[in-house]
Amino acid sequence: DGGITQSPKYLFRKEGQNVTLSCEQNLNHDAMYWYRQDPGQGLRLIYYSQIVNDFQKGDIAEGYSVSREKKESFPLTVTSAQKNPTAFYLCASSIEGQGFDEQYFGPGTRLTVT
Amino acid sequence: AQKVTQAQTEISVVEKEDVTLDCVYETRDTTYYLFWYKQPPSGELVFLIRRNSFDEQNEISGRYSWNFQKSTSSFNFTITASQVVDSAVYFCALYGRRALTFGSGTRLQVQP
């Protein structure tokens, strides 16, 4: 079964700690994306990567970092510099990095920082 | 700047009713793409449809239909004979100028 996996589904951290969210895809897609979703709001783009070893900041990149060492993997680190990290995080991929491509989404990770 | 407005925050209907989800967009681009995604309670977004700005033909897929009107900058989504499984949050999105912008979503609850 092809798709996107995100783990864990729920994550709890203490304030001041960095945390890394996992995203893996076996769709052989070139592009991968990280979004943040807050209650009552649409998705906001954090980072995206169109190719291995390259990534671009999205609208709300401050306090986040990513890496793309393998085509299949695009982990997101939420650093202690992110002022309000509690949110639902969604990873997505698309065949190419064209913004008008259909995006395939993972099930999300709900991060709670206290 | 581009913007997507989904004014209906939450809609509740009884099964078998028809329901229309509104989407109004703003863009200065002449070439753009519009999308609808469904987010069921499981969390992942599921792609429903994409239209480009040059194709104003309405589309029907089973119980789903979409009405794209450039004159009113709207891309509305209608579910005919709604079912409980249609309960989800629905997002409209706009791609233009290298940016994909999502609306805030409409939560649809279909009561049995």
Side-chain angles (χ1 to χ4, degrees):
Chain A
D1 261 338
I4 299 179
T5 55
Q6 291 185 245
S7 60
K9 190 156 181 71
Y10 299 95
L11 193 52
F12 298 88
R13 280 293 182 270
K14 294 288 188 187
E15 200 172 321
Q17 293 179 337
N18 291 356
V19 58
T20 297
L21 281 58
S22 165
C23 177
E24 304 277 332
Q25 56 102 356
N26 61 3
L27 299 167
N28 200 31
H29 285 174
D30 285 331
M32 296 186 74
Y33 311 81
W34 273 106
Y35 292 93
R36 171 182 171 136
Q37 184 179 12
D38 293 286
Q41 295 190 35
L43 279 65
R44 292 181 291 168
L45 182 64
I46 304 172
Y47 268 98
Y48 66 99
S49 169
Q50 294 177 297
I51 197 168
V52 174
N53 291 323
D54 186 49
F55 46 83
Q56 308 294 330
K57 291 182 180 180
D59 300 323
I60 55 166
E62 186 175 346
Y64 300 98
S65 66
V66 293
S67 63
R68 185 88 187 274
E69 297 176 2
K70 298 186 300 181
K71 188 175 185 178
E72 303 79 23
S73 179
F74 192 40
L76 173 75
T77 297
V78 184
T79 74
S80 56
Q82 169 50 232
K83 294 179 182 177
N84 187 17
T86 295
F88 188 53
Y89 291 88
L90 285 157
C91 179
S93 71
S94 63
I95 292 175
E96 297 176 355
Q98 308 294 333
F100 51 80
D101 290 335
E102 170 188 348
Q103 293 187 19
Y104 295 75
F105 284 81
T109 291
R110 191 167 299 279
L111 174 65
T112 302
V113 177
T114 57
Chain B
Q2 56 187 39
K3 186 178 177 183
V4 177
T5 302
Q6 294 181 256
Q8 303 152 308
T9 305
E10 187 160 346
I11 301 174
S12 183
V13 299
V14 177
E15 208 170 15
K16 296 185 183 176
E17 283 186 32
D18 298 347
V19 58
T20 296
L21 310 182
D22 298 332
C23 173
V24 174
Y25 62 91
E26 296 175 29
T27 181
R28 293 182 180 178
D29 295 324
T30 53
T31 301
Y32 54 89
Y33 295 80
L34 293 161
F35 301 80
W36 276 96
Y37 282 88
K38 173 182 180 180
Q39 184 178 38
S42 53
E44 79 283 5
L45 272 73
V46 177
F47 169 83
L48 296 177
I49 190 172
R50 176 184 65 197
R51 302 300 275 178
N52 72 51
S53 51
F54 299 106
D55 184 0
E56 285 192 76
Q57 270 196 322
N58 291 331
E59 176 139 351
I60 298 174
S61 176
R63 296 184 298 106
Y64 295 171
S65 63
W66 291 269
N67 184 353
F68 177 24
Q69 292 196 337
K70 285 177 76 170
S71 60
T72 56
S73 296
S74 64
F75 186 43
N76 296 338
F77 173 30
T78 297
I79 302 175
T80 303
S82 60
Q83 299 177 1
V84 173
V85 294
D86 295 327
S87 296
V89 180
Y90 291 86
F91 290 96
C92 181
L94 165 69
Y95 176 77
R97 300 245 173 153
R98 297 177 163 269
L100 181 63
T101 301
F102 284 83
S104 56
T106 297
R107 180 176 299 277
L108 173 66
Q109 297 208 357
V110 182
Q111 310 289 344

mmCIF file of all heavy atoms in Angstrom, chain A residues 31 33 35 45 48 50 93-103, chain B residues 2 32-35 37 47 50 93-102:
data_model
loop_
_atom_site.group_PDB
_atom_site.id
_atom_site.type_symbol
_atom_site.label_atom_id
_atom_site.label_comp_id
_atom_site.label_asym_id
_atom_site.label_seq_id
_atom_site.Cartn_x
_atom_site.Cartn_y
_atom_site.Cartn_z
ATOM 1 N N ALA A 31 8.271 15.802 -4.342
ATOM 2 C CA ALA A 31 8.022 16.934 -3.445
ATOM 3 C C ALA A 31 7.358 16.497 -2.153
ATOM 4 O O ALA A 31 6.507 15.613 -2.139
ATOM 5 C CB ALA A 31 7.145 17.965 -4.143
ATOM 6 N N TYR A 33 5.896 18.246 1.810
ATOM 7 C CA TYR A 33 5.450 19.483 2.440
ATOM 8 C C TYR A 33 5.124 19.233 3.914
ATOM 9 O O TYR A 33 4.682 18.152 4.280
ATOM 10 C CB TYR A 33 4.163 19.989 1.774
ATOM 11 C CG TYR A 33 4.189 20.053 0.276
ATOM 12 C CD1 TYR A 33 3.971 18.907 -0.495
ATOM 13 C CD2 TYR A 33 4.406 21.263 -0.385
ATOM 14 C CE1 TYR A 33 3.982 18.970 -1.878
ATOM 15 C CE2 TYR A 33 4.414 21.322 -1.769
ATOM 16 C CZ TYR A 33 4.198 20.172 -2.513
ATOM 17 O OH TYR A 33 4.210 20.236 -3.881
ATOM 18 N N TYR A 35 2.665 21.100 6.855
ATOM 19 C CA TYR A 35 1.657 22.106 7.166
ATOM 20 C C TYR A 35 1.340 22.074 8.653
ATOM 21 O O TYR A 35 1.431 21.032 9.307
ATOM 22 C CB TYR A 35 0.352 21.821 6.416
ATOM 23 C CG TYR A 35 0.420 21.986 4.929
ATOM 24 C CD1 TYR A 35 0.707 20.904 4.102
ATOM 25 C CD2 TYR A 35 0.162 23.219 4.330
ATOM 26 C CE1 TYR A 35 0.739 21.051 2.723
ATOM 27 C CE2 TYR A 35 0.199 23.376 2.960
ATOM 28 C CZ TYR A 35 0.484 22.289 2.160
ATOM 29 O OH TYR A 35 0.526 22.433 0.803
ATOM 30 N N LEU A 45 1.535 26.590 5.397
ATOM 31 C CA LEU A 45 2.732 25.899 4.952
ATOM 32 C C LEU A 45 3.929 26.295 5.799
ATOM 33 O O LEU A 45 4.235 27.486 5.944
ATOM 34 C CB LEU A 45 2.998 26.218 3.476
ATOM 35 C CG LEU A 45 4.186 25.543 2.823
ATOM 36 C CD1 LEU A 45 3.989 24.025 2.780
ATOM 37 C CD2 LEU A 45 4.396 26.108 1.436
ATOM 38 N N TYR A 48 8.701 23.265 2.507
ATOM 39 C CA TYR A 48 8.495 22.302 1.449
ATOM 40 C C TYR A 48 9.825 21.972 0.785
ATOM 41 O O TYR A 48 10.776 22.745 0.845
ATOM 42 C CB TYR A 48 7.466 22.775 0.426
ATOM 43 C CG TYR A 48 7.865 23.973 -0.391
ATOM 44 C CD1 TYR A 48 8.365 23.828 -1.680
ATOM 45 C CD2 TYR A 48 7.687 25.259 0.109
ATOM 46 C CE1 TYR A 48 8.711 24.939 -2.438
ATOM 47 C CE2 TYR A 48 8.025 26.367 -0.644
ATOM 48 C CZ TYR A 48 8.537 26.208 -1.915
ATOM 49 O OH TYR A 48 8.874 27.311 -2.655
ATOM 50 N N GLN A 50 11.306 20.246 -2.911
ATOM 51 C CA GLN A 50 10.989 19.762 -4.250
ATOM 52 C C GLN A 50 11.942 18.662 -4.697
ATOM 53 O O GLN A 50 11.674 17.959 -5.674
ATOM 54 C CB GLN A 50 11.031 20.926 -5.243
ATOM 55 C CG GLN A 50 9.946 21.961 -4.982
ATOM 56 C CD GLN A 50 10.044 23.139 -5.926
ATOM 57 O OE1 GLN A 50 11.044 23.855 -5.910
ATOM 58 N NE2 GLN A 50 9.019 23.354 -6.719
ATOM 59 N N SER A 93 2.774 15.015 0.184
ATOM 60 C CA SER A 93 3.712 14.859 -0.913
ATOM 61 C C SER A 93 2.977 15.040 -2.230
ATOM 62 O O SER A 93 1.746 14.920 -2.296
ATOM 63 C CB SER A 93 4.387 13.486 -0.868
ATOM 64 O OG SER A 93 3.475 12.465 -1.209
ATOM 65 N N SER A 94 3.735 15.343 -3.275
ATOM 66 C CA SER A 94 3.163 15.401 -4.618
ATOM 67 C C SER A 94 4.198 14.903 -5.603
ATOM 68 O O SER A 94 5.400 14.881 -5.306
ATOM 69 C CB SER A 94 2.707 16.821 -4.969
ATOM 70 O OG SER A 94 3.801 17.715 -4.997
ATOM 71 N N ILE A 95 3.721 14.510 -6.775
ATOM 72 C CA ILE A 95 4.608 13.895 -7.761
ATOM 73 C C ILE A 95 5.786 14.805 -8.081
ATOM 74 O O ILE A 95 6.941 14.389 -8.081
ATOM 75 C CB ILE A 95 3.825 13.556 -9.038
ATOM 76 C CG1 ILE A 95 2.826 12.448 -8.741
ATOM 77 C CG2 ILE A 95 4.768 13.135 -10.151
ATOM 78 C CD1 ILE A 95 1.922 12.113 -9.905
ATOM 79 N N GLU A 96 5.466 16.051 -8.373
ATOM 80 C CA GLU A 96 6.508 17.037 -8.617
ATOM 81 C C GLU A 96 6.267 18.202 -7.683
ATOM 82 O O GLU A 96 5.333 18.201 -6.913
ATOM 83 C CB GLU A 96 6.478 17.489 -10.071
ATOM 84 C CG GLU A 96 6.774 16.399 -11.058
ATOM 85 C CD GLU A 96 6.632 16.878 -12.487
ATOM 86 O OE1 GLU A 96 6.212 18.036 -12.683
ATOM 87 O OE2 GLU A 96 6.945 16.103 -13.399
ATOM 88 N N GLY A 97 7.099 19.193 -7.784
ATOM 89 C CA GLY A 97 6.963 20.324 -6.883
ATOM 90 C C GLY A 97 6.104 21.444 -7.423
ATOM 91 O O GLY A 97 6.196 22.572 -6.950
ATOM 92 N N GLN A 98 5.249 21.101 -8.389
ATOM 93 C CA GLN A 98 4.359 22.138 -8.911
ATOM 94 C C GLN A 98 3.234 22.356 -7.917
ATOM 95 O O GLN A 98 2.571 21.419 -7.496
ATOM 96 C CB GLN A 98 3.744 21.695 -10.247
ATOM 97 C CG GLN A 98 4.749 21.238 -11.280
ATOM 98 C CD GLN A 98 5.628 22.373 -11.734
ATOM 99 O OE1 GLN A 98 5.242 23.533 -11.693
ATOM 100 N NE2 GLN A 98 6.832 22.044 -12.142
ATOM 101 N N GLY A 99 2.980 23.554 -7.552
ATOM 102 C CA GLY A 99 1.973 23.820 -6.537
ATOM 103 C C GLY A 99 0.578 23.404 -6.926
ATOM 104 O O GLY A 99 -0.278 23.222 -6.070
ATOM 105 N N PHE A 100 0.356 23.225 -8.236
ATOM 106 C CA PHE A 100 -0.981 22.847 -8.657
ATOM 107 C C PHE A 100 -1.160 21.326 -8.725
ATOM 108 O O PHE A 100 -2.195 20.841 -9.147
ATOM 109 C CB PHE A 100 -1.323 23.467 -10.011
ATOM 110 C CG PHE A 100 -0.288 23.241 -11.071
ATOM 111 C CD1 PHE A 100 -0.225 22.030 -11.746
ATOM 112 C CD2 PHE A 100 0.616 24.229 -11.412
ATOM 113 C CE1 PHE A 100 0.723 21.817 -12.734
ATOM 114 C CE2 PHE A 100 1.560 24.034 -12.393
ATOM 115 C CZ PHE A 100 1.623 22.820 -13.059
ATOM 116 N N ASP A 101 -0.119 20.585 -8.317
ATOM 117 C CA ASP A 101 -0.265 19.133 -8.246
ATOM 118 C C ASP A 101 -1.197 18.747 -7.112
ATOM 119 O O ASP A 101 -1.238 19.409 -6.075
ATOM 120 C CB ASP A 101 1.087 18.461 -7.972
ATOM 121 C CG ASP A 101 2.031 18.543 -9.145
ATOM 122 O OD1 ASP A 101 1.537 18.677 -10.278
ATOM 123 O OD2 ASP A 101 3.247 18.460 -8.912
ATOM 124 N N GLU A 102 -1.879 17.649 -7.309
ATOM 125 C CA GLU A 102 -2.628 17.046 -6.221
ATOM 126 C C GLU A 102 -1.653 16.639 -5.121
ATOM 127 O O GLU A 102 -0.593 16.071 -5.406
ATOM 128 C CB GLU A 102 -3.359 15.822 -6.739
ATOM 129 C CG GLU A 102 -3.987 14.943 -5.685
ATOM 130 C CD GLU A 102 -4.512 13.648 -6.276
ATOM 131 O OE1 GLU A 102 -4.585 13.541 -7.516
ATOM 132 O OE2 GLU A 102 -4.846 12.754 -5.480
ATOM 133 N N GLN A 103 -1.993 16.953 -3.891
ATOM 134 C CA GLN A 103 -1.146 16.571 -2.772
ATOM 135 C C GLN A 103 -1.782 15.413 -2.007
ATOM 136 O O GLN A 103 -2.995 15.365 -1.833
ATOM 137 C CB GLN A 103 -0.908 17.767 -1.847
ATOM 138 C CG GLN A 103 -0.077 18.859 -2.507
ATOM 139 C CD GLN A 103 0.314 19.974 -1.571
ATOM 140 O OE1 GLN A 103 0.285 19.842 -0.349
ATOM 141 N NE2 GLN A 103 0.712 21.103 -2.148
ATOM 142 N N GLN B 2 -3.365 36.562 -2.277
ATOM 143 C CA GLN B 2 -4.523 35.762 -2.618
ATOM 144 C C GLN B 2 -5.211 35.320 -1.339
ATOM 145 O O GLN B 2 -4.593 35.220 -0.283
ATOM 146 C CB GLN B 2 -4.128 34.568 -3.471
ATOM 147 C CG GLN B 2 -3.087 33.667 -2.877
ATOM 148 C CD GLN B 2 -2.644 32.595 -3.871
ATOM 149 O OE1 GLN B 2 -2.496 32.851 -5.059
ATOM 150 N NE2 GLN B 2 -2.450 31.386 -3.379
ATOM 151 N N TYR B 32 -4.669 30.216 -12.481
ATOM 152 C CA TYR B 32 -4.682 29.711 -11.115
ATOM 153 C C TYR B 32 -5.446 28.392 -11.084
ATOM 154 O O TYR B 32 -6.079 28.007 -12.067
ATOM 155 C CB TYR B 32 -5.278 30.726 -10.138
ATOM 156 C CG TYR B 32 -6.647 31.241 -10.511
ATOM 157 C CD1 TYR B 32 -7.807 30.586 -10.099
ATOM 158 C CD2 TYR B 32 -6.780 32.392 -11.291
ATOM 159 C CE1 TYR B 32 -9.053 31.059 -10.449
ATOM 160 C CE2 TYR B 32 -8.025 32.868 -11.640
ATOM 161 C CZ TYR B 32 -9.165 32.208 -11.220
ATOM 162 O OH TYR B 32 -10.403 32.678 -11.577
ATOM 163 N N TYR B 33 -5.350 27.720 -9.952
ATOM 164 C CA TYR B 33 -6.003 26.427 -9.790
ATOM 165 C C TYR B 33 -6.799 26.437 -8.490
ATOM 166 O O TYR B 33 -6.356 27.002 -7.484
ATOM 167 C CB TYR B 33 -4.961 25.303 -9.732
ATOM 168 C CG TYR B 33 -4.200 25.137 -11.022
ATOM 169 C CD1 TYR B 33 -3.149 25.987 -11.345
ATOM 170 C CD2 TYR B 33 -4.546 24.135 -11.919
ATOM 171 C CE1 TYR B 33 -2.454 25.848 -12.537
ATOM 172 C CE2 TYR B 33 -3.856 23.990 -13.110
ATOM 173 C CZ TYR B 33 -2.811 24.851 -13.408
ATOM 174 O OH TYR B 33 -2.135 24.700 -14.581
ATOM 175 N N LEU B 34 -7.913 25.789 -8.523
ATOM 176 C CA LEU B 34 -8.770 25.677 -7.344
ATOM 177 C C LEU B 34 -8.934 24.207 -6.970
ATOM 178 O O LEU B 34 -9.009 23.342 -7.849
ATOM 179 C CB LEU B 34 -10.137 26.298 -7.621
ATOM 180 C CG LEU B 34 -10.120 27.813 -7.828
ATOM 181 C CD1 LEU B 34 -11.372 28.272 -8.532
ATOM 182 C CD2 LEU B 34 -9.954 28.529 -6.492
ATOM 183 N N PHE B 35 -8.988 23.967 -5.678
ATOM 184 C CA PHE B 35 -9.068 22.607 -5.175
ATOM 185 C C PHE B 35 -10.150 22.496 -4.103
ATOM 186 O O PHE B 35 -10.481 23.470 -3.425
ATOM 187 C CB PHE B 35 -7.748 22.202 -4.480
ATOM 188 C CG PHE B 35 -6.526 22.265 -5.334
ATOM 189 C CD1 PHE B 35 -5.891 23.466 -5.582
ATOM 190 C CD2 PHE B 35 -5.991 21.109 -5.869
ATOM 191 C CE1 PHE B 35 -4.745 23.528 -6.352
ATOM 192 C CE2 PHE B 35 -4.844 21.155 -6.643
ATOM 193 C CZ PHE B 35 -4.217 22.359 -6.882
ATOM 194 N N TYR B 37 -10.576 19.721 -0.817
ATOM 195 C CA TYR B 37 -10.074 18.582 -0.058
ATOM 196 C C TYR B 37 -11.066 18.262 1.058
ATOM 197 O O TYR B 37 -11.702 19.152 1.614
ATOM 198 C CB TYR B 37 -8.716 18.896 0.588
ATOM 199 C CG TYR B 37 -7.533 18.843 -0.333
ATOM 200 C CD1 TYR B 37 -7.139 19.963 -1.057
ATOM 201 C CD2 TYR B 37 -6.786 17.676 -0.465
ATOM 202 C CE1 TYR B 37 -6.028 19.924 -1.894
ATOM 203 C CE2 TYR B 37 -5.672 17.623 -1.297
ATOM 204 C CZ TYR B 37 -5.306 18.756 -2.009
ATOM 205 O OH TYR B 37 -4.213 18.703 -2.829
ATOM 206 N N PHE B 47 -7.857 14.484 -1.453
ATOM 207 C CA PHE B 47 -8.098 15.318 -2.631
ATOM 208 C C PHE B 47 -9.430 14.945 -3.251
ATOM 209 O O PHE B 47 -9.759 13.773 -3.440
ATOM 210 C CB PHE B 47 -6.957 15.078 -3.617
ATOM 211 C CG PHE B 47 -7.166 15.648 -4.987
ATOM 212 C CD1 PHE B 47 -6.885 16.969 -5.261
ATOM 213 C CD2 PHE B 47 -7.626 14.844 -6.017
ATOM 214 C CE1 PHE B 47 -7.054 17.495 -6.529
ATOM 215 C CE2 PHE B 47 -7.804 15.348 -7.289
ATOM 216 C CZ PHE B 47 -7.513 16.678 -7.550
ATOM 217 N N ARG B 50 -9.625 19.302 -8.719
ATOM 218 C CA ARG B 50 -8.817 20.457 -9.101
ATOM 219 C C ARG B 50 -9.396 21.023 -10.393
ATOM 220 O O ARG B 50 -9.753 20.279 -11.306
ATOM 221 C CB ARG B 50 -7.368 20.050 -9.349
ATOM 222 C CG ARG B 50 -6.488 21.185 -9.841
ATOM 223 C CD ARG B 50 -5.091 20.704 -10.160
ATOM 224 N NE ARG B 50 -5.097 19.769 -11.268
ATOM 225 C CZ ARG B 50 -4.088 18.951 -11.543
ATOM 226 N NH1 ARG B 50 -3.023 18.937 -10.775
ATOM 227 N NH2 ARG B 50 -4.161 18.139 -12.568
ATOM 228 N N ALA B 93 -9.110 25.412 -1.663
ATOM 229 C CA ALA B 93 -7.751 25.960 -1.726
ATOM 230 C C ALA B 93 -7.507 26.551 -3.114
ATOM 231 O O ALA B 93 -8.117 26.144 -4.104
ATOM 232 C CB ALA B 93 -6.711 24.870 -1.427
ATOM 233 N N LEU B 94 -6.585 27.505 -3.157
ATOM 234 C CA LEU B 94 -6.274 28.223 -4.389
ATOM 235 C C LEU B 94 -4.768 28.195 -4.599
ATOM 236 O O LEU B 94 -3.993 28.518 -3.685
ATOM 237 C CB LEU B 94 -6.753 29.672 -4.257
ATOM 238 C CG LEU B 94 -6.240 30.711 -5.260
ATOM 239 C CD1 LEU B 94 -6.819 30.445 -6.638
ATOM 240 C CD2 LEU B 94 -6.598 32.112 -4.797
ATOM 241 N N TYR B 95 -4.346 27.809 -5.785
ATOM 242 C CA TYR B 95 -2.921 27.884 -6.119
ATOM 243 C C TYR B 95 -2.718 28.952 -7.190
ATOM 244 O O TYR B 95 -3.337 28.922 -8.250
ATOM 245 C CB TYR B 95 -2.373 26.566 -6.645
ATOM 246 C CG TYR B 95 -0.928 26.714 -7.077
ATOM 247 C CD1 TYR B 95 0.088 26.756 -6.130
ATOM 248 C CD2 TYR B 95 -0.592 26.885 -8.415
ATOM 249 C CE1 TYR B 95 1.408 26.940 -6.506
ATOM 250 C CE2 TYR B 95 0.721 27.076 -8.800
ATOM 251 C CZ TYR B 95 1.720 27.097 -7.849
ATOM 252 O OH TYR B 95 3.029 27.296 -8.222
ATOM 253 N N GLY B 96 -1.819 29.881 -6.857
ATOM 254 C CA GLY B 96 -1.433 30.892 -7.827
ATOM 255 C C GLY B 96 -0.126 31.510 -7.379
ATOM 256 O O GLY B 96 0.125 31.629 -6.187
ATOM 257 N N ARG B 97 0.721 31.911 -8.336
ATOM 258 C CA ARG B 97 1.973 32.576 -8.001
ATOM 259 C C ARG B 97 2.783 31.796 -6.963
ATOM 260 O O ARG B 97 3.270 32.353 -5.992
ATOM 261 C CB ARG B 97 1.735 33.980 -7.443
ATOM 262 C CG ARG B 97 1.036 34.898 -8.367
ATOM 263 C CD ARG B 97 1.903 36.051 -8.773
ATOM 264 N NE ARG B 97 1.233 36.837 -9.796
ATOM 265 C CZ ARG B 97 1.430 38.095 -10.005
ATOM 266 N NH1 ARG B 97 2.298 38.735 -9.237
ATOM 267 N NH2 ARG B 97 0.804 38.724 -10.943
ATOM 268 N N ARG B 98 2.935 30.501 -7.210
ATOM 269 C CA ARG B 98 3.798 29.682 -6.370
ATOM 270 C C ARG B 98 3.304 29.524 -4.939
ATOM 271 O O ARG B 98 4.080 29.150 -4.053
ATOM 272 C CB ARG B 98 5.229 30.233 -6.326
ATOM 273 C CG ARG B 98 5.923 30.236 -7.665
ATOM 274 C CD ARG B 98 7.290 30.855 -7.560
ATOM 275 N NE ARG B 98 8.111 30.518 -8.711
ATOM 276 C CZ ARG B 98 8.900 29.478 -8.781
ATOM 277 N NH1 ARG B 98 8.996 28.668 -7.740
ATOM 278 N NH2 ARG B 98 9.591 29.205 -9.849
ATOM 279 N N ALA B 99 2.068 29.809 -4.667
ATOM 280 C CA ALA B 99 1.577 29.667 -3.300
ATOM 281 C C ALA B 99 0.231 28.964 -3.305
ATOM 282 O O ALA B 99 -0.627 29.238 -4.141
ATOM 283 C CB ALA B 99 1.452 31.031 -2.632
ATOM 284 N N LEU B 100 0.088 28.048 -2.392
ATOM 285 C CA LEU B 100 -1.189 27.345 -2.208
ATOM 286 C C LEU B 100 -1.812 27.872 -0.932
ATOM 287 O O LEU B 100 -1.219 27.751 0.147
ATOM 288 C CB LEU B 100 -0.950 25.837 -2.115
ATOM 289 C CG LEU B 100 -2.184 24.956 -1.942
ATOM 290 C CD1 LEU B 100 -3.108 25.074 -3.140
ATOM 291 C CD2 LEU B 100 -1.761 23.505 -1.733
ATOM 292 N N THR B 101 -2.996 28.450 -1.062
ATOM 293 C CA THR B 101 -3.684 29.054 0.085
ATOM 294 C C THR B 101 -4.957 28.280 0.370
ATOM 295 O O THR B 101 -5.774 28.080 -0.530
ATOM 296 C CB THR B 101 -4.033 30.523 -0.213
ATOM 297 O OG1 THR B 101 -2.835 31.247 -0.485
ATOM 298 C CG2 THR B 101 -4.747 31.158 0.977
ATOM 299 N N PHE B 102 -5.120 27.876 1.625
ATOM 300 C CA PHE B 102 -6.311 27.148 2.034
ATOM 301 C C PHE B 102 -7.307 28.087 2.703
ATOM 302 O O PHE B 102 -6.922 29.039 3.405
ATOM 303 C CB PHE B 102 -5.953 26.052 3.043
ATOM 304 C CG PHE B 102 -5.303 24.848 2.437
ATOM 305 C CD1 PHE B 102 -3.943 24.824 2.173
ATOM 306 C CD2 PHE B 102 -6.050 23.723 2.132
ATOM 307 C CE1 PHE B 102 -3.341 23.704 1.621
ATOM 308 C CE2 PHE B 102 -5.463 22.601 1.579
ATOM 309 C CZ PHE B 102 -4.108 22.593 1.320
#
